[in-house]
Amino acid sequence: MSDRVLINADLKFVEGVMKAGGEDLNKCYQCSTCTVVCPLTPEGAPFPRKEMIAAQWGIKDKLIKSMDPWLCFHCNDCSEQCPRGAKPGDVMAAIRNMIIANVAVPSFLGKLTQSAGGALGLLLFPIILIAAVIFMVNGGEMAFLDNPVIDFHKNMISQLAIEMIYIPALFFGIITGLLGVKNLIAGLSETYPKTDKGEALVPAIIGTVKDILSHKKFRECGVNQSRNIAHMFLFYAFIGLAITTAGVTGIYYINLFAGSNVVTPTPLPFFHPIKIIGNVSALAASIGILLIVYRRLTAENVGNTVAFDWIFIVNILLIVATGILAQTVRVAGSQASYFIYYCHLVLVFYLFMYMPHSKFGHMFYRTAALVYSRYSGREKSIGMTFLEGKQQEQLEESDKVA
Ligand code: SF4
Ligand code: SF4
């Protein structure tokens, strides 16, 4: 009797993990090959075998407070070697998606962004909002369509109107993201209290930022390492586009408050430094996102791509495409550029507002988890307890044997 263990299984969670990409979860027979081959697992308290059994058993409370899904970079070395085809890399990705759905604020947004239907429903909000603003600022008329000079901000929607829409959306995204991070860290700190193996907070942040900028973890991956290049293009493109947006906004306000044309007004000439950064970033984003789509459609070891992934990928792809197309069609003198620009505005709003609820939320959650990993000392081996007493000892012992 003493060896019996009571598991508080959450079968809905098991179903959720399987729907979120871990559909082969139940094929796992606990051989531990995945844990042996994982290039990123810390010694002494490895993953992903224990997450496989915890997910099979539906130990939701522990899994959503686990650090290890965030230490996994979906390189799929484990899935490639798994003798049962249980795809542990995909299961870890599915657990991450489930964690986002559980820690996101407000929680209904974290759940809606997981499905194509939910995401389309959320898209209706910017579709209606931006159309209504364009309608209102033009006095209920679309006379700008007859103006031979095509200028989005002078004719269709002013810079001020754009800022009144986007600044609240951006703040909503950032604040709800930080609240989600607070929930995540609350769970992680319960599971992994700070130990003397941990770093102080500032070095932990600096170390994490360095790792992210250099893509160190991606480079340690084996079979799926080429994903590193696509991710790097997209990552630095985002930084460049953020600099461009800040630069253009800065120019607008300098000219507004210090007198018109103190600095070169927008639209900027082709060889203006901010324009160059913007164009190079747009090119890098195009290359990065096309590489990601190509690999997702053709590469065998890339793993499952579920709706949650595709929604983000398609959002970025369309933002890049409509951004480039709107400018090209405008220069060509076609009024169709207004509609393309409107689509661009809708898609960017979606990205900003639902940032922490979509796959983009990794930017918040993974960064926070990686910092906490260094801070708590998890990177140097502290594992988590899924079971009690003898059962936990047996679980840990089998990982050592493997
Ligand atoms: S390799 Fe990992 S996921 Fe595959 S059967 Fe063995 S323990 Fe399970
Ligand atoms: S996908 Fe890669 S990093 Fe993640 S558990 Fe498998 S081998 Fe480790």
Side-chain angles (χ1 to χ4, degrees):
M1 286 293 285
S2 61
D3 278 354
R4 294 179 100 188
V5 60
L6 194 63
I7 305 272
N8 194 9
D10 184 330
L11 297 180
K12 267 195 155 177
F13 183 78
V14 181
E15 206 180 299
V17 169
M18 292 173 85
K19 273 194 191 152
E23 61 208 28
D24 294 305
L25 166 68
N26 285 331
K27 292 182 184 167
C28 170
Y29 62 177
Q30 290 291 300
C31 68
S32 232
T33 307
C34 49
T35 289
V36 174
V37 299
C38 176
L40 299 182
T41 192
E43 280 189 26
F47 60 79
R49 184 190 70 96
K50 66 183 186 311
E51 279 71 20
M52 292 301 286
I53 198 164
Q56 283 178 335
W57 289 351
I59 310 180
K60 173 187 169 185
D61 290 350
K62 298 280 186 182
L63 274 174
I64 62 169
K65 294 172 188 167
S66 170
M67 175 87 68
D68 297 352
W70 300 106
L71 300 183
C72 160
F73 276 66
H74 207 176
C75 67
N76 271 338
D77 288 15
C78 55
S79 297
E80 189 83 352
Q81 299 291 333
C82 172
R84 295 277 294 169
K87 300 191 187 136
D90 288 347
V91 172
M92 292 294 264
I95 295 170
R96 281 193 294 278
N97 295 351
M98 297 297 285
I99 296 175
I100 292 180
N102 275 277
V103 300
V105 177
S107 59
F108 76 92
L109 286 182
K111 295 188 173 62
L112 281 175
T113 49
Q114 301 276 331
S115 70
L120 284 175
L122 293 175
L123 195 61
L124 279 179
F125 179 53
I127 286 175
I128 295 168
L129 175 75
I130 294 171
V133 171
I134 293 173
F135 196 67
M136 277 191 298
V137 296
N138 288 288
E141 291 181 11
M142 295 290 147
F144 64 85
L145 291 173
D146 300 325
N147 190 332
V149 181
I150 300 174
D151 187 324
F152 302 138
H153 295 170
K154 278 199 183 116
N155 302 348
M156 184 171 92
I157 182 166
S158 66
Q159 179 82 21
L160 184 65
I162 287 190
E163 279 162 26
M164 285 179 70
I165 299 171
Y166 283 85
I167 290 175
L170 188 60
F171 270 92
F172 179 84
I174 292 172
I175 291 168
T176 53
L178 294 176
L179 290 172
V181 164
K182 186 169 162 266
N183 289 343
L184 179 80
I185 297 293
L188 293 180
S189 55
E190 214 179 277
T191 313
Y192 312 90
K194 183 164 171 53
T195 67
D196 54 10
K197 290 183 180 175
E199 300 172 19
L201 187 58
V202 173
I205 293 173
I206 294 172
T208 303
V209 171
K210 274 188 188 165
D211 285 354
I212 291 174
L213 290 177
S214 66
H215 278 48
K216 179 171 177 270
K217 301 281 181 191
F218 280 107
R219 285 188 283 112
E220 284 172 27
C221 286
V223 295
N224 202 5
Q225 209 204 69
S226 53
R227 191 170 55 118
N228 169 36
I229 298 163
H231 195 274
M232 188 89 96
F233 266 108
L234 205 54
F235 176 81
Y236 281 101
F238 270 120
I239 294 179
L241 291 171
I243 293 170
T244 308
T245 308
V248 170
T249 309
I251 286 171
Y252 172 77
Y253 280 105
I254 290 170
N255 284 337
L256 187 71
F257 293 117
S260 60
N261 301 354
V262 170
V263 287
T264 314
T266 55
L268 298 170
F270 195 73
F271 288 108
H272 190 284
I274 291 178
K275 189 83 172 179
I276 293 172
I277 294 174
N279 285 337
V280 171
S281 304
L283 181 66
S286 313
I287 295 170
I289 197 67
L290 287 173
L291 278 175
I292 287 173
V293 172
Y294 177 74
R295 295 200 69 249
R296 291 270 176 181
L297 293 175
T298 60
E300 279 178 12
N301 51 25
V302 80
N304 278 341
T305 307
V306 291
F308 191 62
D309 304 309
W310 278 124
I311 293 161
F312 177 65
I313 292 170
V314 170
N315 188 14
I316 299 296
L317 187 67
L318 291 180
I319 285 175
V320 173
T322 52
I324 294 172
L325 213 57
Q327 294 304 328
T328 317
V329 177
R330 180 182 68 83
V331 172
S334 168
Q335 306 292 337
S337 60
Y338 284 117
F339 178 69
I340 300 169
Y341 187 59
Y342 162 72
C343 295
H344 182 70
L345 291 177
V346 167
L347 294 160
V348 173
F349 185 98
Y350 184 96
L351 183 75
F352 281 9
M353 177 132 178
Y354 308 123
M355 196 166 21
H357 314 98
S358 66
K359 175 105 186 194
F360 205 18
H362 279 67
M363 179 179 68
F364 288 93
Y365 302 120
R366 195 190 286 280
T367 307
L370 291 177
V371 170
Y372 191 76
S373 160
R374 284 172 169 266
Y375 175 77
S376 64
R378 166 61 185 125
E379 248 208 359
K380 299 196 180 126
S381 96
I382 309 115
M384 77 180 299
T385 308
F386 284 113
L387 301 174
E388 306 296 334
K390 201 167 175 186
Q391 284 77 27
Q392 177 67 23
E393 279 169 29
Q394 282 169 354
L395 195 68
E396 285 171 12
E397 204 48 45
S398 58
D399 267 332
K400 279 183 201 151
V401 171

